[in-house]
Amino acid sequence: MKSIVAGRVAASTTEFIELALGTPLELWLGVEGESEMERAARLDAARDILADNPNLPDRVSQVAAQAIEAHAPELFNVTQLPARRPAGRRQYRGGVAA
């Protein structure tokens, strides 16, 4: 199955997310071993992107929900558990105590 976003075929899940968001994941998640100066520059760029595109958090939520729904649909299968009785109220079932 091909994942196509904005007319481009995504080769991996990461590329699919990057194409859907329009930014690389490293911008938001950081990279291992980055210096304080690199981190500050990355966060500054992220703030600029959010200022220019205030709808981006909504897009991120939508992409995340679609990915979960597509790849882990069992997470949306919710069943109600039977109600538990309060611990202090036990029902007498008969019988003899030992």
Side-chain angles (χ1 to χ4, degrees):
M1 183 174 133
K2 291 183 179 179
S3 297
I4 301 174
V5 179
R8 294 186 53 197
V9 177
S12 67
T13 303
T14 300
E15 189 175 353
F16 174 82
I17 294 168
E18 290 177 351
L19 288 170
L21 299 178
T23 63
L25 287 177
E26 290 84 11
L27 176 68
W28 309 105
L29 303 177
V31 293
E32 190 173 331
E34 71 182 351
S35 69
E36 282 299 316
M37 188 182 304
E38 291 169 327
R39 182 176 187 275
R42 178 178 57 79
L43 293 176
D44 191 42
R47 277 189 288 275
D48 288 345
I49 289 171
L50 287 173
D52 290 343
N53 189 357
N55 295 326
L56 184 60
D58 293 335
R59 282 185 38 213
V60 170
S61 298
Q62 183 179 20
V63 168
Q66 289 171 347
I68 290 168
E69 188 175 30
H71 298 290
E74 64 277 1
L75 292 176
F76 289 104
N77 294 335
V78 179
T79 58
Q80 186 172 358
L81 297 174
R84 290 183 63 192
R85 290 187 213 149
R89 303 182 82 194
R90 295 195 176 167
Q91 185 177 10
Y92 175 72
R93 295 181 185 216
V96 179

